[in-house]
Amino acid sequence: MKIALERCINQIYDRIVLELANGFRQCGHECKLVQPSDIKSNADLLEAYNQCDWAIISNSMGLLSLKGTDTFFFEDVDPKLVFIHHDAPFGTEDLQAINDKLDAFVRIKDRSVHFTIEKSDEVDLKKLGIQCHPITHINSLGPNFYKGDQSHLRNVAFLGHVVPPIDQPIAFGNADDMAYFQSYLSRVAKMDHSVKSDFDRVHPANSEIVTASDISLKMQYIQYVNRFSMFQRGALLQGIQRHDLHIFGGDPAWMHGVEQTRFLAGDSIHYHPAVFDRAQVAEVFATSRININITSLQFDSAVINRVLDCAAAGGFMLTDKKAQLAGLTAVADEISYSTLEELESKVDYYSHPDNQRVKNELTQQLRSDLSVSCSMANSVIQIINRMATF
């Protein structure tokens, strides 16, 4: 079987693409990595994919996910289609664009299958007759445990985008602006608060999903709330003042060639450049006494790859409480927090030298559990088995 996967400009997701390719090759399949920079025309795009049996689409903004004159490019290629939604299924707040893509998903439902890390997305897509199945997020660092010096170089670390919290709504110019802000505040107060339940409350007439338009409105709501994710992280990390906190990345202004200006306040907070290289990411996770994960607001229950990557590197992580974590590891309660107060308490506890042994045991258990429940082999075999039904 020949399978095509598109490389991704997002370096984290590109690592996942490469891991997927390795997984399919290990199962005896040929993989073609499509380089977007090599595609100069629509004809080039069709040619690149039409020589393959399957096309794996893991980027909602990738070339195949773009819309041509009347149809999306994924509708125009010959291979069977596998959509892996390891982020929100629609990377846009444009209601018409979301609805158009949903309609396209329905049109190709007989030759495509979707996998999503967020349980509610699976439930909603199935209501439209779209084949959709749960899948765990994919460890982007591969199976190699960090082999370097594991002396703790820092107490607490966070890798990702974060800016100071805000105390007023973002002016999107949408009738639901205040509702989006309230969803943000609710998640800051309680980590397992459901943004999707907020949509049901704000739009009760649309809470019972029946049509693509119903799902589109829900997905748009989630995309707007997700714009508060960096502020939510700031609200939580700002509260960790008793311990040195090292932030790798921070204000994403650097991505646009603009100087970083938004920093969390506090003498205990230290900033470092963003890291993407596998070895560097693994080193940060492994040599930090405690790593913090704060999941973006588009996910209510999913466990994201930062948790998997940290475990693969042999690092210890505290993560915001997510329902799906309990199905992946026996130590979900020990490494989860629901409130800022619980996060502070657990940082205090696991930072104390007397609790080092307990922390090490949890680290080993988490790595062992996730290496089984979230293995690349499991994900690839799951995809292959589903595609075999076509």
Side-chain angles (χ1 to χ4, degrees):
M1 200 71 68
K2 189 172 183 179
I3 301 168
L5 302 93
E6 182 181 328
R7 299 291 300 270
C8 184
I9 192 171
N10 180 305
Q11 296 182 64
I12 297 173
Y13 291 154
D14 193 51
R15 293 201 304 262
I16 292 177
V17 168
L18 296 177
E19 286 300 312
L20 278 169
N22 288 336
F24 281 110
R25 287 169 182 151
Q26 289 170 12
C27 288
H29 296 285
E30 181 182 353
C31 280
K32 174 184 176 65
L33 290 171
V34 178
Q35 296 281 2
S37 59
D38 293 340
I39 306 299
K40 307 301 181 185
S41 66
N42 294 352
D44 285 348
L45 182 64
L46 296 179
E47 182 180 359
Y49 281 95
N50 284 346
Q51 56 186 284
C52 299
D53 302 293
W54 298 350
I56 309 291
I57 303 170
S58 60
N59 180 2
S60 65
M61 305 302 290
L63 294 179
L64 278 190
S65 295
L66 298 178
K67 191 176 184 182
T69 305
D70 298 308
T71 59
F72 290 87
F73 288 117
F74 59 69
E75 297 182 79
D76 299 329
V77 297
D78 296 335
K80 296 175 182 178
L81 304 170
V82 180
F83 293 85
I84 302 178
H85 303 294
H86 51 224
D87 208 326
F90 308 94
T92 178
E93 296 147 1
D94 186 319
L95 188 61
Q96 187 61 55
I98 297 172
N99 200 77
D100 287 348
K101 187 171 284 188
L102 266 177
D103 285 341
F105 286 168
V106 173
R107 289 194 294 269
I108 60 166
K109 65 182 181 179
D110 292 334
R111 65 182 184 96
S112 63
V113 63
H114 295 247
F115 294 90
T116 177
I117 69 169
E118 175 73 11
K119 179 63 178 177
S120 64
D121 292 340
E122 175 205 357
V123 172
D124 287 342
L125 291 177
K126 281 184 172 179
K127 290 178 179 178
L128 299 181
I130 296 169
Q131 286 199 51
C132 190
H133 307 278
I135 197 168
T136 61
H137 219 165
I138 294 169
N139 161 20
S140 72
L141 297 185
N144 296 322
F145 176 72
Y146 175 72
K147 299 298 195 302
D149 183 4
Q150 284 190 269
S151 301
H152 290 139
L153 304 180
R154 62 199 71 82
N155 195 40
V156 184
F158 175 81
L159 279 70
H161 298 151
V162 55
V163 297
I166 54 176
D167 56 7
Q168 59 185 357
I170 299 174
F172 295 118
N174 190 302
D176 289 336
D177 278 0
M178 184 56 70
Y180 306 141
F181 184 61
Q182 288 299 326
S183 288
Y184 153 70
L185 293 177
S186 296
R187 184 66 73 81
V188 169
K190 201 166 186 296
M191 297 300 103
D192 53 357
H193 174 80
S194 170
V195 171
K196 295 173 179 70
S197 69
D198 291 337
F199 170 81
D200 294 342
R201 175 179 49 78
V202 174
H203 296 281
N206 296 85
S207 61
E208 288 298 323
I209 301 298
V210 177
T211 67
S213 296
D214 296 328
I215 293 181
S216 297
L217 191 62
K218 180 179 181 180
M219 294 295 182
Q220 183 194 48
Y221 186 96
I222 294 163
Q223 284 296 124
Y224 274 119
V225 175
N226 187 49
R227 290 275 291 273
F228 286 93
S229 291
M230 292 187 296
F231 304 104
Q232 182 221 8
R233 295 170 189 157
L236 292 171
L237 295 177
Q238 189 81 70
I240 306 175
Q241 295 290 336
R242 295 192 292 271
H243 302 273
D244 281 350
L245 169 64
H246 293 258
I247 295 174
F248 292 80
D251 183 354
W254 60 272
M255 298 176 63
H256 310 287
V258 179
E259 183 180 359
Q260 290 179 306
T261 58
R262 296 175 292 179
F263 298 99
L264 301 185
D267 294 338
S268 62
I269 299 176
H270 312 278
Y271 279 87
H272 308 271
V275 293
F276 294 102
D277 176 77
R278 288 174 188 252
Q280 289 181 314
V281 171
E283 186 274 336
V284 172
F285 283 143
T287 60
S288 301
R289 182 170 281 107
I290 297 172
N291 296 277
I292 303 294
N293 174 59
I294 305 168
T295 307
S296 297
L297 293 169
Q298 75 260 41
F299 297 123
D300 271 352
S301 63
V303 179
I304 63 170
N305 67 287
R306 188 185 289 116
V307 179
L308 279 63
D309 289 350
C310 183
F316 177 77
M317 176 162 281
L318 292 175
T319 183
D320 49 327
K321 188 172 185 179
K322 292 288 174 252
Q324 292 175 219
L325 184 61
L328 303 177
T329 177
V331 298
D333 289 341
E334 289 84 349
I335 66 169
S336 298
Y337 59 90
S338 295
T339 64
L340 172 58
E341 292 72 26
E342 187 176 6
L343 173 60
E344 291 178 307
S345 174
K346 288 191 172 181
V347 170
D348 288 344
Y349 179 83
Y350 292 119
S351 294
H352 198 283
D354 289 350
N355 300 316
Q356 181 68 31
R357 182 183 60 81
V358 174
K359 185 174 76 69
N360 289 344
E361 290 173 351
L362 292 174
T363 300
Q364 293 170 11
Q365 185 66 54
L366 180 65
R367 181 169 186 267
S368 176
D369 289 345
L370 297 186
S371 69
V372 175
S373 59
C374 302
S375 72
M376 174 58 67
N378 284 350
S379 295
V380 168
I381 291 171
Q382 184 180 1
I383 294 169
I384 291 172
N385 287 344
R386 292 294 181 184
M387 291 304 292
T389 64
F390 281 86

